[in-house]
Every structure is written in structure tokens, then in C-alpha cells.
Amino acid sequence: MAAAATAEVPEVLQECGCKGIRTCLICEGRRHCDPPWQLSPQDYGPKVNFRKQKLKMGDFRGLPSFSREVVQRMGLYPGLEGFQPVEQCNLDYSPERGSAIDPHLDDAWLWGERLVSLNLLSPTVVSMCREAPGSLLLSSAPAAGPEAYADCLIAPSRSVLCQEVEVAIPVPCRSLLVLAGAARHQWTHAIHRRHIEARRVCATFRELSAEFCPGGRQQEVGHELLQIALSFQGRPV
């Protein structure tokens, strides 16, 4: 009976929940789907207009309660000391839906130095590109460890245009990926459609920029955001 009921639902174009750099075959108008495939992102954070550099609290009540322990454990890892996220975005990637995310740099007006993503359910690949004029100096090394260098000839370095370089970063299931420094500000990151081979859930956490931290021009706003975020009483907005 359940199968018969499902079969009666007509195939119609659904609103997929994608926005901005998020994309799938549904929002591109190339795929129809039944309602059970419709999985929207969940955002826990203030409402932000990045172009006008304005924000308002809106219905923001904090990060979700289930993230409290995750955030606490993050701070135990080297490089994440003092990490206090004020925004969490949960994304659900599906190969049937053709999910992907375009190459982009995250905003640097509101979001701070470290972008942290928790990868769940399946492995994937994050692709990094440097969209800048000029070239990069690439060097080759033996596949074996450093101890093999003495017995191997290393290929000479060569210069390659930045636009021709893409670095593929394997991201295993249940791994934590941190983008900081040049990877945060100079290299775009993306997930190609071909690298979503099974359902993937990702939780991305963002901290405040210096402008919203103590001593910054909007430190009061930042203090309020942190108090709300770390109350862990949030609902998706």
C-alpha cells in the first residue's frame, strides 16, 4: 500500500533549498524529483547582507543543542584553541540530486580566520583553486618517503599558471577540515558533482572576524552574537 501511495505522487520540480554558491540538478532545471528527495540546508546564525555589510539577529537563538559537545571537543585540537563559532550551516549532499558547491571564498567581513567543516556519512573531495594572476612553482618528489630522496632523481620544478592548478583534498568520513591562512583567503574551495558518490552531511562552523572581536569596531555586536550562539538553544533560520 505504501508503494502504491508513493507512486501516485506526480513528479514535479521541487524547491531544493539551494542558494548562492550551492547548486544541484533541481535548481538548474535539469532534474525532477519527488518530495522525499527534497532536503534543504539548515542555517543557525544571524541574518546577513554581505554586500551591504549589515546583519540583524532576527530569529537567531544560538547553535543547536546537539552541537555543544562537538564545539567543546573542537577546542582540544591544535590550531582550534579558542575557536568559538557563531554560525553553523548543515548541508545535505545527494548524488541523486546532483548536489555540488561552486568555487568560492567565504566572506571575510563577518567571518574570521578559521572555517571548520565536519564531514559525515561518506567521504568526498574538496577542490582548491587559486584564481589569481601569475604562476605557481610546482616541484615533483618521489612517491616514497623522504628516506628515498638520496637514491632518486627529483623532477625539476616548473612554473604553472595559477588558473591551471587544482588541489584535490581527500576528506574522509567523520573528519574535520580546517581552512585558515592562504587556504582561507587566497584559494577558493568547492565540491564537484562527481565527488558526491553517496549521501553526505556536512556541518560548517564559522567564527567572528577581528572587527567583531574585543577591540574591534563592532565588538559589542560580536559579544551579543557569541552569547546567543553559545547558548545552544538554536532553531534553523
Side-chain angles (χ1 to χ4, degrees):
M1 294 297 292
T6 302
E8 293 173 0
V9 179
E11 284 199 352
V12 294
L13 186 66
Q14 299 292 321
E15 293 184 1
C16 57
C18 294
K19 60 181 179 180
I21 54 176
R22 305 165 189 160
T23 182
C24 73
L25 295 176
I26 301 171
C27 61
E28 293 173 10
R30 294 155 53 191
R31 174 68 56 84
H32 287 63
C33 75
D34 291 330
W37 287 9
Q38 185 177 345
L39 295 168
S40 300
Q42 292 181 331
D43 290 309
Y44 299 85
K47 291 186 177 295
V48 186
N49 186 322
F50 293 107
R51 183 174 60 84
K52 296 182 179 180
Q53 294 192 344
K54 293 183 178 180
L55 66 84
K56 57 182 179 180
M57 302 304 171
D59 295 326
F60 182 40
R61 296 293 180 269
L63 303 188
S65 59
F66 60 79
S67 293
R68 184 188 298 269
E69 184 177 354
V70 175
V71 171
Q72 290 175 344
R73 292 180 64 181
M74 283 181 187
L76 302 178
Y77 287 88
L80 285 179
E81 300 89 350
F83 182 72
Q84 294 183 303
V86 293
E87 196 247 18
Q88 177 179 338
C89 181
N90 298 335
L91 293 177
D92 197 321
Y93 293 77
S94 164
E96 294 87 358
R97 207 169 66 237
S99 301
I101 191 162
D102 295 335
H104 67 284
L105 289 172
D106 277 41
D107 172 79
W109 164 68
L110 177 60
W111 307 134
E113 176 63 21
R114 295 167 292 188
L115 304 178
V116 182
S117 293
L118 178 62
N119 186 59
L120 302 172
L121 296 187
S122 68
T124 190
V125 174
V126 171
S127 299
M128 309 283 296
C129 294
R130 184 168 182 176
E131 296 184 356
S135 59
L136 294 171
L137 189 64
L138 301 184
S139 60
S140 300
E147 67 277 0
Y149 285 4
D151 301 321
C152 298
L153 293 176
I154 300 176
S157 301
R158 60 191 180 97
S159 183
V160 179
L161 292 175
C162 289
Q163 293 85 346
E164 297 178 0
V165 176
E166 181 174 272
V167 178
I169 303 176
V171 184
C173 180
R174 300 180 66 186
S175 64
L176 200 66
L177 176 67
V178 181
L179 298 182
R184 162 76 170 94
H185 300 288
Q186 299 175 21
W187 290 73
T188 64
H189 57 278
I191 296 183
H192 299 312
R193 187 162 290 149
R194 65 181 182 273
H195 291 144
I196 301 297
E197 299 180 350
R199 185 184 176 194
R200 171 187 182 249
V201 171
C202 172
T204 298
F205 300 85
R206 298 177 175 92
E207 63 183 347
L208 289 171
S209 68
E211 180 170 337
F212 294 87
C213 290
R217 189 170 60 90
Q218 300 197 59
Q219 61 177 349
E220 293 84 2
V221 177
H223 178 70
E224 183 181 1
L225 276 171
L226 268 177
Q227 283 191 316
I228 296 173
L230 300 182
S231 71
F232 296 98
Q233 300 177 14
R235 304 184 305 271
V237 296

Coordinates of all heavy atoms in Angstrom, one line a residue, residues 53 108-110 208-222:
Q53 N 27.1 44.8 4.1 CA 27.7 44.6 5.4 C 26.8 45.0 6.5 O 27.1 45.9 7.3 CB 29.0 45.4 5.4 CG 30.1 44.8 4.4 CD 31.5 45.4 4.6 OE1 31.7 46.4 5.3 NE2 32.5 44.7 4.1
A108 N 34.9 37.7 4.5 CA 35.9 38.0 5.5 C 35.6 39.2 6.3 O 36.3 39.6 7.2 CB 37.3 38.2 4.8
W109 N 34.4 39.8 6.0 CA 34.0 41.0 6.8 C 33.4 40.5 8.2 O 33.8 41.0 9.2 CB 32.9 41.8 6.1 CG 32.1 42.7 7.0 CD1 32.6 43.8 7.6 CD2 30.7 42.5 7.4 NE1 31.5 44.4 8.4 CE2 30.4 43.6 8.2 CE3 29.7 41.6 7.1 CZ2 29.2 43.8 8.8 CZ3 28.5 41.7 7.6 CH2 28.2 42.8 8.5
L110 N 32.6 39.5 8.1 CA 32.0 38.9 9.4 C 32.7 37.7 9.9 O 32.9 37.5 11.1 CB 30.5 38.6 9.1 CG 29.7 38.0 10.3 CD1 29.7 38.9 11.5 CD2 28.3 37.7 9.8
L208 N 34.0 34.7 14.4 CA 33.9 36.1 14.1 C 35.2 36.7 13.6 O 36.3 36.2 14.0 CB 33.4 36.9 15.3 CG 32.0 36.7 15.7 CD1 31.7 37.4 17.1 CD2 31.0 37.3 14.7
S209 N 35.1 37.7 12.7 CA 36.3 38.4 12.3 C 36.8 39.3 13.4 O 36.1 39.6 14.4 CB 36.0 39.2 11.0 OG 35.1 40.2 11.3
A210 N 38.0 39.9 13.2 CA 38.6 40.8 14.2 C 37.7 42.0 14.4 O 37.7 42.6 15.5 CB 40.0 41.3 13.7
E211 N 36.9 42.5 13.4 CA 36.1 43.6 13.6 C 35.0 43.4 14.7 O 34.6 44.4 15.3 CB 35.4 44.0 12.3 CG 34.4 45.2 12.4 CD 33.9 45.6 11.0 OE1 34.6 45.3 10.0 OE2 32.9 46.3 11.0
F212 N 34.6 42.2 14.9 CA 33.6 41.8 15.9 C 34.2 41.2 17.2 O 33.4 40.9 18.1 CB 32.6 40.9 15.3 CG 31.8 41.5 14.2 CD1 32.3 41.5 12.9 CD2 30.6 42.1 14.4 CE1 31.6 42.0 11.8 CE2 29.8 42.6 13.3 CZ 30.4 42.6 12.0
C213 N 35.5 41.2 17.3 CA 36.1 40.6 18.5 C 36.5 41.8 19.4 O 36.5 43.0 19.0 CB 37.3 39.8 18.1 SG 36.9 38.2 17.3
P214 N 36.9 41.5 20.7 CA 37.3 42.6 21.6 C 38.4 43.5 21.0 O 39.4 43.0 20.4 CB 37.9 41.8 22.8 CG 37.1 40.5 22.8 CD 36.9 40.2 21.3
G215 N 38.1 44.8 21.0 CA 39.0 45.8 20.4 C 38.6 46.2 19.0 O 39.1 47.2 18.5
G216 N 37.7 45.4 18.4 CA 37.2 45.7 17.1 C 36.1 46.8 17.1 O 35.5 47.1 18.1
R217 N 35.8 47.3 15.9 CA 34.9 48.4 15.8 C 33.4 48.0 16.2 O 32.7 48.8 16.6 CB 34.9 48.9 14.3 CG 34.1 50.1 14.0 CD 34.3 50.7 12.7 NE 33.9 49.7 11.6 CZ 32.7 49.7 11.1 NH1 31.8 50.5 11.5 NH2 32.4 48.8 10.1
Q218 N 33.1 46.7 16.0 CA 31.8 46.2 16.4 C 31.9 45.1 17.4 O 31.2 44.1 17.4 CB 31.1 45.7 15.1 CG 30.9 46.7 14.0 CD 29.8 46.3 13.0 OE1 28.7 46.1 13.4 NE2 30.2 46.3 11.8
Q219 N 32.7 45.4 18.4 CA 32.9 44.4 19.5 C 31.6 44.1 20.3 O 31.4 43.0 20.7 CB 34.0 44.8 20.4 CG 33.8 46.1 21.1 CD 35.0 46.4 22.1 OE1 35.8 45.5 22.3 NE2 35.0 47.6 22.6
E220 N 30.8 45.1 20.5 CA 29.5 44.9 21.2 C 28.6 44.0 20.5 O 28.0 43.1 21.1 CB 28.8 46.3 21.5 CG 29.6 47.2 22.4 CD 30.6 48.0 21.7 OE1 30.7 47.9 20.4 OE2 31.3 48.8 22.4
V221 N 28.5 44.2 19.2 CA 27.7 43.3 18.4 C 28.2 41.8 18.4 O 27.5 40.9 18.6 CB 27.6 43.7 16.9 CG1 26.8 42.8 16.0 CG2 27.0 45.1 16.8
G222 N 29.5 41.7 18.3 CA 30.2 40.4 18.4 C 29.9 39.7 19.7 O 29.7 38.5 19.8

